[in-house]
Amino acid sequence: MQIKRRASLKGKDALAGLFFSAPAFITLFLVVLFPFIYVIYISFFRKIFGAEAVFIGLGNYIETLRDPLFYHSFYVTSFYTAVAVALKLLCGLGLALLLSQNFRGRGIVRTICIIPWGLPLFVVAIIFWWFFDYRLGLANQLLSRLFHIRVSWLGADFALWAIIITNVWKGIPFFMVNFLGALQTVPQQLYDAAEIDGASAWNKFLHVTLPGIKYVVLVVCLLSTIWTFGEFDTVFFLTRGGPGYVTFVIPILIYYHAFSRFDLGIASTVSVLTVPLFLALIALILRELKE
């Protein structure tokens, strides 16, 4: 009888858990899984706004893989993502190491450094649109006074670097906060032992600090890569993919197909073609974490 009662209680607990978890699973399906499945479905159809969907099999994929603009956008996005994530990693780690030291006003400095992460993307884009303005922007005001030159930051030569700078400024606090937390978990005894062995500051960083925060670095870089690769707001507000196709990143290409050409089939296909890249990157990071 006691065994049956325990089994009955476990069954009730399972039902209660399922009942309370159901809203989260339903929301996840409606917000994430259903749109993803629908995008894959639409990628096999010729679907123009206001017209009937016509099944064409792999037609959209063949057309996209023959389109030079797709490869150009993929290259621009990859370069933008790689440089931005690398700079955020270096700057975020440097700030975390600096702010992990004891000095007067450290709490105030930490608070100020977090502010960019709390700003909405469109606000950041507007700030840097003014910052990079040719006539009134702060960047050119400083260059004009110091070196008597002006730079067309949003022109063809520097537009990509302008959006990289914007993304890096916005994303550094995310790296800094995570690295700062990870640094607190590295045992002080390891630093003391390295000090006794006569290790230099660089050797302590290389053999104590980096191994201690390795897994946090991998996860943060993975998340930042996914977010940066898919970032639309900053590029759209600052350059709209221009001048020409200089900053025509993948999200802008998807927007172009969906809302300029009104071709949901091609837009969905471009989205689906980026999925294997993310899956491979996630698999690589997970393998490193297991090791």
Side-chain angles (χ1 to χ4, degrees), residues 93 96-97 100 175-187 191 208-217 220:
L93 183 56
L97 291 170
S100 65
F175 280 74
M176 182 199 73
V177 169
N178 283 280
F179 292 161
L180 199 54
L183 288 171
Q184 312 307 313
T185 65
V186 181
Y191 290 107
V208 178
T209 304
L210 277 185
I213 65 172
K214 172 185 175 182
Y215 298 116
V216 175
V217 170
V220 169

Side-chain angles (χ1 to χ4, degrees), residues 92-217:
L93 183 56
L95 273 176
L97 291 170
L98 177 64
L99 295 177
S100 65
Q101 308 299 316
N102 289 318
F103 60 88
R104 191 173 182 179
R106 184 177 65 172
I108 297 174
V109 176
R110 285 181 175 181
T111 303
I112 293 172
C113 288
I114 294 173
I115 290 175
W117 181 249
L119 295 175
L121 277 172
F122 75 91
V123 173
V124 174
I126 291 172
I127 290 172
F128 276 88
W129 178 78
W130 167 78
F131 182 79
F132 290 128
D133 184 77
Y134 185 79
R135 292 183 177 274
L136 303 175
L138 181 59
N140 273 344
Q141 291 290 335
L142 292 173
L143 288 175
S144 179
R145 293 187 179 185
L146 294 176
F147 305 105
H148 306 290
I149 60 171
R150 288 181 180 270
V151 174
S152 180
W153 289 101
L154 299 179
D157 294 330
F158 293 99
L160 186 57
W161 289 102
I163 64 172
I164 288 174
I165 291 170
T166 306
N167 179 271
V168 169
W169 184 84
K170 165 71 173 173
I172 285 175
F174 175 72
F175 280 74
M176 182 199 73
V177 169
N178 283 280
F179 292 161
L180 199 54
L183 288 171
Q184 312 307 313
T185 65
V186 181
Q188 182 60 39
Q189 294 88 334
L190 296 179
Y191 290 107
D192 296 337
E195 187 74 29
I196 293 172
D197 290 338
S200 64
W202 171 249
N203 282 326
K204 284 191 282 187
F205 170 76
L206 198 62
H207 299 291
V208 178
T209 304
L210 277 185
I213 65 172
K214 172 185 175 182
Y215 298 116
V216 175
V217 170

Side-chain angles (χ1 to χ4, degrees), residues 262-280:
F262 304 107
D263 192 336
L264 289 180
I266 294 292
S268 300
T269 302
V270 175
S271 301
V272 172
L273 286 174
T274 62
V275 172
L277 174 67
F278 292 124
L279 293 179

